[in-house]
Amino acid sequence: MSYTVTDIAELVTYHLIASAPHDDAAHDNLVQLVQQLELLAPRPLRQEATWVFCDRCGCSDDTDLIHPDSHHCADGGDLHCGPCWDSST
Ligand SMILES: [Zn+2]
């Protein structure tokens, strides 16, 4: 029998959170679980966020939001946020 992620999340909820005597114990359980899961992951589960700034209005954007084909990059390499891009096209 295999378990789905939802099944395992229910086990975590019941055994590590709901049955913990207090919030700090539930937190400690989750920290331990995440540490062990990170050892299993084929690549890091988290990555450092990097930010860029719109060259038109100056707002900041997480680089993860930049389209892989450089959508929103104007000729000359300027990066425009979504609203600026939409208003210029
Ligand atoms: Zn902008």
Side-chain angles (χ1 to χ4, degrees):
M1 176 180 182
S2 63
Y3 295 97
T4 66
V5 171
T6 301
D7 296 334
I8 294 168
E10 284 184 29
L11 289 171
V12 168
T13 301
Y14 180 76
H15 292 285
L16 298 183
I17 299 172
S19 64
H22 47 79
D23 286 352
D24 287 345
H27 179 81
D28 290 345
N29 287 340
L30 290 174
V31 167
Q32 283 184 42
L33 177 64
V34 169
Q35 288 171 341
Q36 292 188 24
L37 291 175
E38 284 179 329
L39 295 174
L40 301 173
R43 56 183 173 271
L45 296 177
R46 303 181 197 121
Q47 68 182 49
E48 189 173 319
T50 51
W51 298 88
V52 292
F53 297 91
C54 173
D55 290 311
R56 182 173 280 180
C57 74
C59 76
S60 59
D61 242 343
D62 188 322
T63 52
D64 282 349
L65 300 177
I66 297 174
H67 196 279
D69 71 1
S70 298
H71 189 63
H72 292 190
C73 285
D75 290 342
D78 284 358
L79 180 82
H80 295 160
C81 70
C84 288
W85 181 265
D86 291 342
S87 69
S88 66
T89 55

